[in-house]
Amino acid sequence: MIKTSASLLASNLAQLALEISRCKKSGVDWVHFDVMDGVFVDQITYGSPVLKTVRASTDMFLDVHLMVEDPTKQIAFFAEAGADLITIHVESFCDIAAVLKDIKLYDKKAALAVKPNTPIEAVYPYLHLCDMVLVMTVEPGYGGQAFIPETIEKIKSLRKTADNAGYKTLDIQVDGGINEKTAELVKKAGANVLVAGTALFKAENMKAVCDELKKPV
Ligand code: DX5
Ligand code: ZN
């Protein structure tokens, strides 16, 4: 089953609760919460106090994407604020295995993200600690960018490697430039959790776009 995760970055942040209920009504599965620290990426977005208010306003699955230089200290904050899944970057400066284990200690799903220019092999030593791998399909930092087609091969290799290693239920998430057209490519390659910001929030009909993204290939 294909899932969609709506990136709040493209929503009307002054009306967060309304935007999230619009997602739920449209059949979106998860809410994607992009945390940027101004160091790992240029911009600064929002942190765990904001996630806490989001948690209070919805029962939707909250998917937290940490684009921060060192996520070590952040796990407790986001777990306690109500995250359901926490993603850290393999390029961040921390003990990757220890932080993934820490996420699991809080009884949350754990995921590892990889930037477009990082070889997919970088995540392989950690697959046993991951519920999901996020293959970035744009350079992290900004919403509304164009999909990078070279990432397709990384998704294919990851799906093959995970299957061969017995991780048949590993979720593969993609994030960046996902719309009705690029969705087909990533699903064919083996991705099953599609993040979309612009395509969902700027759509005239969010439900129609969501249905299209979730269509099996
Ligand atoms: C980029 C973020 C993405 C972004 C996706 O750093 O991780 O989640 O919001 O936005 P779209 O779907 O507009 O490319
Ligand atoms: Zn993201």
Side-chain angles (χ1 to χ4, degrees), residues 43-59:
Q43 299 217 62
I44 296 175
T45 54
Y46 23 66
S48 52
V50 177
L51 187 76
K52 201 171 171 184
T53 67
V54 168
R55 176 76 295 163
S57 78
T58 184
D59 59 2

Side-chain angles (χ1 to χ4, degrees), residues 62-208:
L62 300 178
D63 156 27
V64 174
H65 178 193
L66 294 181
M67 285 163 277
V68 303
E69 192 80 341
D70 180 357
T72 312
K73 278 194 281 185
Q74 299 304 319
I75 305 308
F77 290 132
F78 283 95
E80 281 157 13
D84 292 297
L85 177 153
I86 302 176
T87 301
I88 62 165
H89 266 267
V90 72
E91 302 86 358
S92 60
F93 292 94
C94 69
D95 181 337
I96 301 290
V99 176
L100 288 170
K101 283 180 195 159
D102 195 31
I103 298 172
K104 301 297 288 181
L105 280 179
Y106 282 95
D107 212 17
K108 308 294 181 182
K109 289 196 185 264
L112 196 53
V114 56
K115 297 206 281 184
N117 292 327
T118 304
I120 192 63
E121 288 74 16
V123 306
Y124 292 167
Y126 307 102
L127 286 184
H128 63 294
L129 299 171
C130 294
D131 296 292
M132 184 177 91
V133 172
L134 163 53
V135 179
M136 289 300 300
T137 42
V138 299
E139 206 47 58
Y142 300 90
Q145 304 182 75
F147 176 82
I148 301 173
E150 286 76 18
T151 56
I152 294 284
E153 284 308 314
K154 292 170 70 175
I155 302 167
K156 284 187 188 161
S157 309
L158 172 61
R159 182 56 83 198
K160 205 170 153 194
T161 302
D163 279 352
N164 289 341
Y167 305 120
K168 307 244 182 228
T169 59
L170 180 82
D171 283 321
I172 300 183
Q173 185 177 53
V174 285
D175 182 12
I178 302 298
N179 53 39
E180 294 100 312
K181 272 194 192 138
T182 55
E184 196 171 338
L185 305 173
V186 294
K187 285 185 284 189
K188 274 191 184 141
N192 68 310
V193 183
L194 275 53
V195 176
T198 310
L200 285 169
F201 286 105
K202 309 289 189 229
E204 250 173 60
N205 184 339
M206 187 189 266
K207 185 174 183 324

